[in-house]
Amino acid sequence: MTSAPRPQAAGLSIVVPLYNEAAGLSDLHRRITTVAGRIKAERRMAVEVVYVDDGSRDGTAEVLRTLAAGPLDMQLVTLSRNFGKEAALLAGLDHARFGAVLFMDGDGQHPPDLMETLVSRWLDDGYDVVYTAKANREHEPWLRRTAVHWFYALINWGQRQPIPEDAGDFRLLSPRAAAALRQMPERNRFFKGLSSWIGFRQVRVDYEPAPRTHGTTTWDLWSLIGLSIEGLTSFTVAPLRVASLLGLLLAAVALLFGIEILVETLIFGKDVPGYPSLVVGMMVIGGVQLMMIGVLGEYIGKLLSEIKARPVYFVAEHTLTPAEDHVEATSTTRAERVAK
Ligand code: UDP
Ligand code: MG
């Protein structure tokens, strides 16, 4: 990790993770600077945008270098390879210099216009975590929605602060919420879960996601399954509890079955025609055991990677371009700049 400066309370950092987003980037930057420039002027606070290039292979870094800072301070953080979205989000959070942090996808699906609403919910209504949710999911395949539903049922099982089911990564954290998020030490990160877990005043904003401006989603079925397992095992021990309950259930069934056999043999004097039931029983128990060893293994893997305590990402390049009008930034900002 880098020696990112301590964030100052006043101001807003917009973090945008980018993986192969070269095609839509200039357009996105234009939209961000328009809206965020307006926010900066109206709210009289420092605003920066932090682009994190997560090891893109399509020239995203080159496009980034051509962008003009415009009204916002602009940071370019290039990671040493592709580390995944969670790592890119953390890199952005680590580099954000201002207290409040807004996270937004770089593929155009998170409409920059909504930033004004998010900022208003934070500054005018005093919310700490302003998260967005897709207004309607009806068009998504039934199987996917059901899977998502079960995923959240499991991850929220026994949680005091459940993760809202359809919340996305597009969200704004107030300075104290962002500070709380910065204190979360884990390396296996599930951003949505963490920013819900911290508590404070949370509010939901519905929005209509735009279609991707270009390319296709990087999540295929397997990476979604991977992400779900990752999210579950890094966030909750609910799957272990499922294992215990299944064990209990199987034991109970076995007991009842045992009693039935006893009764049949002793009272009715029947032979026990054992073979098929034996095989089925063995296979069921064997399968469940193997599955649960797998679940245990996931957690041991998590332990291992937390204990190794490797950095979540490496930064290959980092630049900061001040806003074109950076003279009018707040006095603390300037004082800190001079002090550096
Ligand atoms: N992303 C990233 N690293 C990755 C994959 C994705 O930084 O390894 C970024 C990507 O550029 C985009 C955001 O994460 O800004 C969301 O990715 P995507 O649109 O593929 O996911 P979806 O919108 O389907 O959840
Ligand atoms: Mg997307």
Side-chain angles (χ1 to χ4, degrees):
M1 262 166 264
T2 55
S3 53
R6 279 180 85 74
Q8 328 156 198
L12 173 70
S13 297
I14 301 165
V15 168
V16 187
L18 300 164
Y19 179 59
N20 295 345
E21 306 286 6
L25 194 49
S26 318
D27 187 47
L28 180 77
H29 181 64
R30 200 173 38 73
R31 291 168 67 198
I32 290 178
T33 44
T34 308
V35 182
R38 212 156 53 213
I39 293 173
K40 176 180 170 177
E42 277 166 15
R43 303 287 180 170
R44 300 178 166 280
M45 63 179 178
V47 181
E48 69 171 353
V49 57
V50 183
Y51 289 115
V52 182
D53 173 17
D54 184 18
S56 302
R57 300 152 195 270
D58 69 340
T60 295
E62 284 70 33
V63 178
L64 280 176
R65 276 194 280 273
T66 66
L67 299 180
L72 313 177
D73 291 356
M74 180 171 70
Q75 292 196 58
L76 307 183
V77 181
T78 309
L79 304 187
S80 62
R81 64 168 169 84
N82 179 240
F83 284 92
K85 184 177 179 183
E86 291 288 335
L89 290 174
L90 181 65
L93 179 68
D94 287 344
H95 284 81
R97 295 175 307 150
F98 303 133
V101 184
L102 192 156
F103 299 88
M104 181 164 71
D105 279 3
D107 59 2
Q109 289 197 288
H110 296 164
D113 293 340
L114 204 65
M115 288 198 291
E116 282 178 314
T117 312
L118 302 189
V119 167
S120 164
R121 299 299 265 160
W122 161 45
L123 286 178
D124 302 331
D125 305 333
Y127 285 101
D128 292 289
V129 178
V130 188
Y131 63 88
T132 64
K134 296 179 192 168
N136 76 74
R137 302 191 84 126
E138 263 76 79
H139 60 281
E140 287 182 10
W142 175 86
L143 192 67
R144 190 190 153 116
R145 269 187 294 152
T146 312
V148 168
H149 186 71
W150 279 96
F151 170 77
Y152 279 97
L154 194 54
I155 203 166
N156 284 329
W157 187 20
Q159 297 282 344
R160 284 163 216 267
Q161 174 89 4
I163 306 172
E165 186 166 320
D166 39 11
D169 283 340
F170 185 19
R171 53 180 64 209
L172 185 153
L173 274 71
S174 74
R176 62 178 183 175
L181 198 63
R182 285 188 172 98
Q183 286 178 39
M184 308 289 235
E186 53 249 80
R187 274 137 236 283
N188 297 284
R189 303 183 71 87
F190 182 54
F191 174 66
K192 257 184 249 185
L194 295 181
S195 58
S196 159
W197 190 89
I198 56 173
F200 299 108
R201 299 188 65 208
Q202 310 216 349
V203 69
R204 163 193 172 119
V205 171
D206 284 300
Y207 79 106
E208 204 64 60
R212 284 183 71 99
T213 49
H214 60 278
T216 51
T217 173
T218 45
W219 304 106
D220 54 16
L221 179 67
W222 282 113
S223 51
L224 273 180
I225 293 176
L227 186 77
S228 310
I229 294 177
E230 182 66 41
L232 274 172
T233 53
S234 68
F235 195 72
T236 162
V237 291
L240 292 177
R241 226 177 285 160
V242 172
S244 317
L245 280 184
L246 261 181
L248 202 69
L249 200 75
L250 269 178
V253 170
L255 192 73
L256 289 179
F257 193 45
I259 291 174
E260 196 211 320
I261 291 174
L262 257 184
V263 170
E264 281 191 342
T265 322
L266 294 183
I267 300 181
F268 302 106
K270 269 198 208 161
D271 276 353
V272 184
Y275 182 69
S277 48
L278 253 183
V279 171
V280 170
M282 263 168 55
M283 282 174 65
V284 168
I285 293 173
V288 169
Q289 276 180 342
L290 275 182
M291 196 171 87
M292 291 314 159
I293 290 175
V295 171
L296 270 182
E298 286 288 335
Y299 282 97
I300 293 176
K302 286 276 128 56
L303 279 178
L304 184 66
S305 75
E306 294 290 339
I307 285 173
K308 278 193 289 193
R310 285 187 187 160
V312 178
Y313 59 86
F314 287 109
V315 174
E317 260 176 74
H318 176 217
T319 62
L320 192 164
T321 317
E324 274 150 18
D325 60 342
H326 71 278
V327 210
E328 66 105 45
T330 63
S331 55
T332 39
T333 321
R334 269 170 64 200
E336 287 225 342
R337 276 212 193 98
V338 173
K340 274 207 285 175

